């Protein structure tokens, strides 16, 4: 409805008419809101200040306008009607039917329209301008001003027309007459005639339901539009990393001092104490310098004497003891000291009998000593006895002595050897190895030899097992056996490398080594047929090239391994396909493999091991029968690659392509990198089935590892046996069932594997359970990409990994509030669109703040900043002094005191309000945390206030420059700079640590503010201002202890302030200090 | 020849006094500490465990009423005071610190259905089934008083219908009552200043918007939620849901949003400007949600339910952050968040008011800055790794009473079955022939202009 305010003319009409306006009309208006607005605009343009007789220019315009109108709008009758009415500038309606209440068709409805105030003046009232104009005319022509008031007269007529509408004396015709002969008049005339012919149609009022609906619609539209103003603010708060709700904390009793001041003695004892404490004499003495306190101290002379006596006695005793100790120390006699020592030792032993704990300790000590002796002295032939015997020669000694000595030696050897073995398990073996080897490898280069030895050692140890005696210890054997299997392969490969190089130096040595190796293999390889084979191979090897031998060796080993596996029952998957099936099957297999090679299939993150060898392809069932033979043959042929064989290979391998060759290079040998792969021909010749089998074996192993086979059901031995029932029945059925189930499950799992149908591929589906708990299956909600999420948790946030300045910011919670602080609902404020969204936001809790902001902008614009500054400063000082006065005033009762204190604080803050709320921005209030009304405190309070007065100018400059309010963020920065500068921070004895200062007080220091942090005992910990780095207690209270008199205190404070200002590069005006201090 | 000498200023490594702290020089090179992620993860895990260990939210019960607690009101100007009204017409003022009744306001003859306190905390307004609105003066200070005061009403206005709800406008003399219609009252007038009527349904709950004080929302027995604007002569908008809304609460920090506690176990957060769709559905309760109150920080709200639990939700969280229950707590009829956002108070059928911590494992009392920092760090770390399964499991784990656990499971299956059915139906119908509505819209029947 606010929008439907009528323009001047209409208003007037309404005010003249009855106050009740039909609801219909208001509703109409609502519907035609936009149209009306348009019309109003036009009306303003045309009808503005027009009387019945328009000036010619207006009339011309009107004519043009009306003609245009006609051209435009013939479609909407309603609108035309309105337009016409406007064209003639006056709405000529009698009392509306609704208003007249003739037929009671209309409900009486309250007037919701804007009612004009009684003293409202219409726009048409002659303005000053016109009067001046008249005066001017009068001046020029000398005629009376009434002569020129023609226009005004017309206005009067106009208003009378308005007033006389009810009488109906003026018709449209009358009004049209003056327009006669003007262009467009005929059109106008025609249309009016038309209108007059038509019967006046009055729309029926809308039904109530409809009407209400419309009203609600409008209401909702307005209220939702109103609410929308909050959007930027809410958005800002939602996006802010941290919201603060802890501003303007006033807990009443904030410090211990404040609480103490409100203390009232209740019990007897407390009252007694209070009467003593509050003794006016005592307080006076305290207030002065404290010297008088001594006089008040009721200490009798006897007491003093007594104490002195006691002290003297103690001192003499101490002295005697000292002298005695000195004397004893001087005595040189060893026996005396020995006796003394024994006595001293005895003393604890006597204690032992008393104390169980001590006894235990003693026993342990003794035991340790004995053990130590045993280990160190006895078995080393370092005792006197042993030395003597050795000196004389062992051979001279009798049987018993020799036995003793040898036993000792043995013991020693055993112990030391054990120790050695703990350090290096192989050191004992080295010597024997050396004996064995070094005869041959004397002249070989040392380096190679050493390396070789170390490698050989692994193989060499096999011999040790065969041997009996020293090295045949069972535990040694067992451990060796275990180690052997793992190290065997690797060692041999490594050794081969050394061998080849060594062989160049000495052929004999190579033979030696190989013989060792063969022996090793004989011992550890599978017995029987294989041993035979290896013999054959060795023969061939002795004749031939070492390279080929090793290849062979490798493959052979694989082969043996596989054969051992073959013994296992059906658990091998698809193994038989190679051995039993014909070409067809193989062909299909290879085909699938080819497919895999070309198209790796679905991309997975699993490790994919592809085993591919075109040598497999060359295999034919017939060949497989003669594997062994062929192998032997090829071993021989490797010296001179057989062209025939190669040819065959080529035939079989005709379809092989580059891809496959590449794959060949990646064969699944576990070889050492520098190990040279055998030539392709060699592989083709004899490795085929072995590789295939090896791969299958590998795959099987992996499958077994990832989906372990279920254990066979077994009964606990003896369980249920006495009944003789279970024996007959065997394993209970449920166990079997479970086993079956597990088996089935395993098979299903195997079938589900991605590599289940890929014969030549292993896709490992192993999941690392440890890593699993650190992985997420899906991205957490707000993140849209993995990278962003990972980035968000990349940097550590702990105090160990970050400097102290940033830790707080990194760990800041979303909402910071203090328990006990009432949080008020949100207050509206304008949001600065250029604000940094990452800044922590403080929710306004203060009721006046929003209004302050607007006012401050105005006040800032004024030029007399200096004056303002002075005014503010003086006000501040007055405020502080007033606060002091209040504190001094005797307070009545607990509450009274507390209130006084609160008010003293608030008053200081409220002073700027008196000046004008706008100043709040310019001069932030001085926060003075005065917990106790003590003299030094007060004098310190003055300091900052003076400083503020000095700084006001700067602050004003600053605030006018940056047109925005000063935020707490600056304070935060300040703190961080303070910390960054690493000034020695502000911890005084028996007071709160710096953190508290930082948390509670420093954060309040905004730009231009001074903040004094006061600890519980009313000592100043820090003074902080925006431009001060930080003035610490160090400056202020360095001489705290000595300060007694008020003068001294003042001096200290002044000193500190001067220090402050030095640091801040501020000037100090001495007399101002005087004023303040006085 | 150039000679390089290590030079240090004495200021760097000496203290001026023995009490000064030693300066710690630290090399923050990340290469020196490579395990930081593992360390922080472990800390997060430990923090989560510790939080569980220290989670003891229940502070105490306030016993004194002799009938079920039907409504509560917090004093916006005084942290310690909370008012509670019961079904027998008794109104009490409790001191939360001592958990004792400090004042009793007797006068109502039927159940007290609504309580509210003026913003300055001086006037208590109560209404009830006895068709009367009573204004009371709130005792200004009740420290150390062992005796229970008995107060007389300042004013007693009898009107023509039984009242169900009352709420006070922020920072003014105006309050609104709900019953057969919505009436706007002034403290000093015995008749309503204004009244709104739309339909014939009984108003069940009524709440003023704290941020935008002229906006008012009510819920009625015809399953509707209605919004009023006191500046207009008519109500503004109404939305009808499938089930009744028992209570609603405006977000004090986001004046456009309010949350409705519905009979269908869920809460729905609406934007007052777009009522055709809920902004967020908060589900977890297993029975009708009876009352709701926002934390003054606007980031959380607390709900009390007929399933005998109190839950705390985040303002944008689909599921609750916390659930509170005790063996003896019966149906919860009213809940309130304390004015400092630190406590939660619930009033239930078992005639007790219960005081809970809003943050179950929070340490009460004064904390050293060191402790605060540590807690902040632990929270930050926990928050950082909250998505990882181990931490998540611990943080989410709650022990529930058996009936609630079972009911929740049953609900889950029902919802799941419904979803599946819908899914199948869609799968078996021609594409485009069925339309599915989001959950946020499903429970809304109509928005009426």
């Amino acid at each position: 409805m606010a929008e439907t305010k009528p323009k001047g003319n209409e208003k007037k009409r309404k005010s003249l008419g009855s106050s009740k306006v039909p609801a219909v009309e208001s509703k109409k208006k609502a519907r035609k809101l936009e149209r009306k607005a348009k019309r109003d605009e036009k009306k303003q343009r045309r009808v503005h200040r027009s009387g019945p007789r328009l000036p010619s220019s207006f009339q011309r315009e009107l004519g043009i306008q009306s003609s245009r109108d006609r051209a435009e709008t013939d479609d909407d009758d309603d609108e035309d009607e309105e337009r016409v009415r406007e064209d003639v500038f006056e709405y000529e309606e009698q009392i509306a039917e609704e208003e007249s209440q003739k037929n009671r068709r209309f409900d009486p409805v309250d007037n919701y329209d804007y009612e004009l105030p009684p003293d409202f003046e219409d726009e048409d009232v002659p303005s000053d301008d016109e009067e001046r104009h008249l005066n001017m005319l009068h001046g020029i022509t000398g005629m009376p001003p009434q002569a020129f008031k023609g226009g005004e007269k017309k206005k009067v007529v106009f208003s009378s027309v308005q007033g006389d509408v009810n009488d109906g004396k003026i018709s449209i015709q009358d009004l049209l007459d003056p327009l006669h002969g003007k262009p467009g008049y005929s059109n106008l005339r025609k249309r009016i005639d038309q209108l007059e012919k038509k019967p006046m149609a009055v729309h029926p009022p809308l039904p109530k339901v409809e009407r209400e609906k419309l009203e609600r619609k409008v209401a909702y539209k307005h209220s939702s539009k109103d609410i929308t103003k909050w959007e930027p603010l809410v958005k800002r708060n939602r996006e802010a990393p941290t919201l603060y709700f802890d501003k303007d904390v006033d807990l009443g009793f904030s410090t211990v001092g404040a609480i103490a001041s409100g203390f009232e003695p209740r019990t007897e004892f407390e009252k007694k104490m209070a009467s003593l404490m509050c003794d006016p004499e005592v307080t006076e003495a305290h207030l002065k310098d404290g010297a008088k306190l001594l006089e008040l101290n009721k200490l009798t002379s006897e007491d003093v004497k007594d104490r002195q006596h006691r002290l003297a006695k103690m001192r003499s005793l101490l002295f005697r003891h000292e002298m005695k100790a000195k004397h004893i120390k001087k005595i040189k006699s060893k026996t005396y000291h020995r006796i003394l020592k024994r006595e001293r030792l005895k003393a604890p032993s006597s204690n032992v009998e008393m104390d169980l704990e001590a006894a235990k300790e003693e026993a342990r000590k003794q035991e340790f000593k004995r053990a130590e002796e045993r280990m160190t002295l006895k078995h080393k032939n370092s005792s006197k006895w042993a030395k003597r015997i050795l000196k004389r020669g062992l051979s001279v000694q009798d049987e018993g002595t020799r036995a003793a000595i040898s036993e000792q030696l043995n013991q020693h050897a055993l112990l030391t050897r054990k120790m050695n073995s703990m350090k290096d398990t192989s050191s004992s073996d080295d010597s024997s190895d050396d004996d064995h080897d070094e005869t041959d490898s004397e002249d070989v280069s040392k380096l190679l030899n050493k390396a070789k030895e170390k490698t050989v050692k692994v193989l060499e140890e096999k011999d040790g097992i065969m041997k009996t005696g020293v090295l045949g210890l069972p535990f040694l054997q067992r451990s060796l056996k275990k180690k052997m299997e793992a190290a065997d392969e690797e060692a041999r490969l490594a050794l081969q490398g050394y061998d080849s190089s060594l062989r160049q130096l000495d052929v004999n040595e190579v033979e030696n080594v190989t013989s060792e190796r063969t022996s090793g293999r004989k011992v550890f390889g599978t017995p029987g047929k294989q041993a035979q084979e290896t013999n054959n191979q060795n023969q061939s090897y002795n004749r031939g090239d070492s390279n080929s031998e090793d290849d062979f060796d490798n493959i052979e080993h694989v082969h043996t391994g596989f054969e051992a596996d073959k013994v296992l029952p059906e658990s091998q998957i698809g193994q038989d396909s190679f051995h039993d099936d014909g070409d067809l099957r193989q062909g299909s297999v290879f085909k699938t493999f080819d497919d895999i090679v070309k198209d790796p299939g679905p991309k997975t993150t699993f490790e994919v091991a592809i085993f591919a060898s075109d040598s497999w392809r060359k295999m034919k069932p017939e060949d497989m029968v003669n594997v062994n033979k062929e192998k032997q043959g090829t071993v021989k042929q490797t010296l001179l690659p057989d062209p025939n064989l190669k040819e065959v290979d080529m035939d079989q391998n005709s379809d092989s392509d580059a891809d496959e060759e590449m794959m060949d290079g990646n064969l699944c040998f576990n070889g050492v990198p520098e190990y040279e792969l055998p030539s392709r021909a060699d592989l083709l010749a004899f490795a085929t089935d072995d590789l295939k089998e090896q791969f299958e074996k590998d795959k099987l192993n992996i499958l077994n590892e990832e989906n372990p086979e279920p254990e066979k059901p077994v009964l606990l031995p003896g369980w249920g046996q006495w009944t003789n029932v279970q024996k007959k029945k065997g394993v209970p059925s449920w166990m079997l069932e479970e086993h079956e189930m597990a088996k089935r499950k395993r098979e299903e799992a195997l079938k589900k594997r991605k590599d289940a149908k890929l014969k030549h591929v292993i896709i490992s589906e192993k999941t690392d359970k440890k890593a699993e708990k650190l992985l997420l299956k899906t991205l957490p909600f707000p993140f849209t990409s993995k990278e962003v999420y990972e980035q968000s948790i990349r940097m550590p946030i702990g105090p160990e990994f970050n400097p102290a300045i940033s830790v707080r910011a990194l760990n800041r919670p979303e909402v910071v509030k203090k328990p006990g602080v009432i949080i008020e609902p949100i207050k509206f404020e304008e949001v600065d669109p250029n604000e940094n969204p990452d800044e922590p936001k403080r929710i306004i809790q203060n009721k006046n703040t929003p209004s302050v902001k607007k006012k401050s902008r105005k006040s800032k614009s004024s030029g007399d900043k200096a004056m303002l500054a002075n005014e503010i400063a003086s006000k501040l000082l007055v405020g502080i002094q007033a606060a002091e006065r209040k504190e001094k005033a005797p307070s009545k009762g607990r509450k009274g005191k507390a209130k006084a204190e609160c008010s003293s604080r608030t008053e200081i803050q409220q002073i700027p309000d008196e000046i004008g709320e706008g100043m709040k921005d310019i001069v932030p209030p001085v926060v003075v945390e005065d917990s106790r009304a003590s003299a030094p405190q007060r004098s310190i309070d003055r300091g900052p206030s003076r400083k503020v007065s000095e700084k006001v100018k700067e602050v004003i400059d600053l605030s006018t420059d940056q047109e925005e309010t000063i935020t707490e963020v600056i304070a935060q920065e300040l703190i961080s700079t303070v910390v960054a500068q690493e000034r020695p921070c502000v911890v005084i004895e028996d007071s709160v640590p710096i953190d508290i200062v930082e948390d509670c007080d420093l954060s309040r220091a905004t730009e231009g503010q001074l903040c004094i942090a006061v600890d519980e005992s009313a000592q100043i910990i820090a003074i902080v201002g925006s431009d001060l780095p930080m003035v610490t207690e160090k400056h202020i209270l360095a001489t705290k202890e000595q300060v007694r008199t008020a003068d001294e205190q003042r001096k200290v404070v002044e000193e500190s302030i001067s220090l402050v200002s030095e640091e801040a590069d501020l000037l100090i005006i001495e007399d101002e200090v005087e004023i303040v201090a006085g | 020849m150039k000679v390089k000498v290590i030079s240090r200023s004495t200021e760097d490594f000496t203290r001026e006094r023995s009490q000064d702290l030693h300066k710690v020089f630290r090399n923050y090179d990340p290469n020196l500490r490579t395990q930081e992620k593992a360390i922080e993860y472990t800390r997060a895990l430990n923090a989560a465990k510790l939080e569980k260990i220290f989670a003891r939210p229940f502070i105490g019960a306030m016993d004194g009423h002799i009938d079920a607690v039907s409504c509560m009101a917090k004093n916006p100007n005084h942290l310690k005071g909370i008012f509670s009204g019961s079904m027998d017409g008794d109104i009490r003022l409790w001191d939360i610190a001592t958990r004792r009744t400090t004042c009793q306001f007797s006068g109502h003859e039927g159940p007290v259905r609504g309580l509210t306190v003026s913003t300055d905390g001086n006037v208590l307004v109560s209404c009830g089934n006895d068709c009367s609105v009573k204004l009371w003066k709130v005792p200004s200070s009740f420290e150390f008083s062992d005796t229970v005061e008995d107060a007389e009403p300042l004013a007693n206005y009898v009107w023509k219908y039984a009242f169900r709800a009352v709420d006070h406008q922020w920072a003014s003399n105006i309050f609104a009552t709900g019953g057969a219609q919505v009436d706007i009252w002034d403290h000093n007038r015995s008749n309503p200043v204004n009244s709104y009527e739309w339909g014939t349904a009984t108003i069940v709950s009524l709440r003023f918007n704290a941020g935008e004080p002229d906006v008012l929302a009510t819920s009625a027995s015809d399953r509707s939620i209605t919004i009023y604007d006191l500046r207009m002569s008519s109500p503004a908008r109404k939305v009808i849901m499938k089930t009744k809304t028992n209570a609603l609460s405006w977000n004090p920090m986001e004046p456009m949003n309010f949350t409705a506690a519905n009979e269908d176990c869920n809460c729905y957060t609406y934007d007052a400007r777009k009522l055709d769709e809920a902004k967020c559905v908060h589900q977890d309760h297993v029975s009708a949600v009876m009352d709701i109150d926002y934390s003054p920080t606007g980031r959380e709200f607390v709900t009390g339910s007929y399933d005998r639990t109190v839950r705390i939700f985040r303002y944008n969280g689909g599921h609750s952050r916390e659930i509170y229950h005790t063996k003896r707590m019966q149906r919860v009829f009213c809940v309130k968040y304390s004015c400092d956002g630190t406590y939660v108070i619930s009033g239930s059928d078992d005639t007790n008011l219960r005081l809970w911590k809003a943050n179950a494992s929070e340490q009460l009392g004064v904390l050293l800055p060191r402790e605060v920092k540590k807690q902040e760090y632990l929270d930050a770390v926990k928050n950082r790794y909250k998505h990882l399964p181990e931490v998540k499991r611990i943080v989410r784990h709650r022990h529930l009473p058996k009936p609630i656990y079972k009911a929740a499971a049953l609900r889950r299956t029902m919802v799941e079955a419904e979803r599946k059915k819908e899914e199948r139906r869609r799968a078996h119908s021609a594409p485009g022939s069925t339309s599915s509505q989001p959950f946020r819209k499903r429970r809304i029947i109509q928005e009426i202009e």
Side-chain angles (χ1 to χ4, degrees), chain A residues 862-878:
Chain A
S862 60
D864 42 9
K865 292 168 200 163
M867 209 183 74
L868 271 174
N870 284 335
E871 199 180 323
I872 292 158
S874 59
K875 286 265 182 183
L876 277 172
L877 293 184
V878 168

Side-chain angles (χ1 to χ4, degrees), chain A residues 313-375:
Chain A
K313 198 181 167 189
M314 291 302 292
R315 223 173 287 137
S316 72
L317 276 175
L318 206 70
F319 178 70
R320 293 241 179 99
H321 186 261
E322 219 168 85
M323 293 307 289
K324 200 181 168 189
K326 243 180 210 172
H327 176 67
I328 287 168
K329 204 187 168 193
K330 264 186 185 170
I331 296 170
K332 278 179 182 170
S333 161
K334 276 186 181 171
T335 44
Y336 175 76
H337 277 294
R338 205 181 301 140
I339 291 162
L340 202 71
K341 201 178 177 184
R342 206 171 295 155
E343 269 172 12
R344 216 177 282 150
L345 282 173
K346 244 179 213 169
S349 68
S350 63
N351 277 346
V352 162
E353 286 159 19
M354 310 285 286
D355 192 9
L356 200 78
E357 205 45 30
K360 261 187 195 169
E361 185 65 26
E362 189 69 19
R364 208 178 299 138
K365 224 183 241 171
Q366 293 286 340
E367 187 65 27
F368 181 74
K369 244 182 200 169
R370 235 177 288 140
E372 198 182 24
E373 209 159 348
R374 215 170 48 228
M375 296 295 288

Side-chain angles (χ1 to χ4, degrees), chain A residues 848-911:
Chain A
N848 335 338
T849 330
S851 59
V852 165
K853 222 172 165 183
K854 281 172 197 167
K855 283 181 187 173
S856 69
R857 273 199 196 122
K858 281 177 208 160
S859 64
K860 270 181 221 159
S861 60
S862 60
D864 42 9
K865 292 168 200 163
M867 209 183 74
L868 271 174
N870 284 335
E871 199 180 323
I872 292 158
S874 59
K875 286 265 182 183
L876 277 172
L877 293 184
V878 168
I880 289 162
Q881 276 159 11
E884 280 170 26
R885 245 175 281 131
K886 265 205 176 155
E887 277 169 5
K888 271 182 196 166
S891 50
K892 286 158 197 168
R894 183 154 31 102
K895 270 177 216 164
K897 254 189 185 175
K899 263 185 192 168
E901 225 168 277
C902 288
S903 64
S904 76
R905 189 178 305 164
T906 48
E907 190 166 336
I908 294 165
Q909 289 187 326
Q910 277 166 3
I911 290 154

Side-chain angles (χ1 to χ4, degrees), chain A residues 642-654:
Chain A
D642 194 352
N644 294 332
L645 192 73
K646 198 110 202 214
E647 233 178 53
V648 173
D649 289 342
M650 292 301 278
D651 290 341
Q652 289 174 345
N653 202 20
S654 55

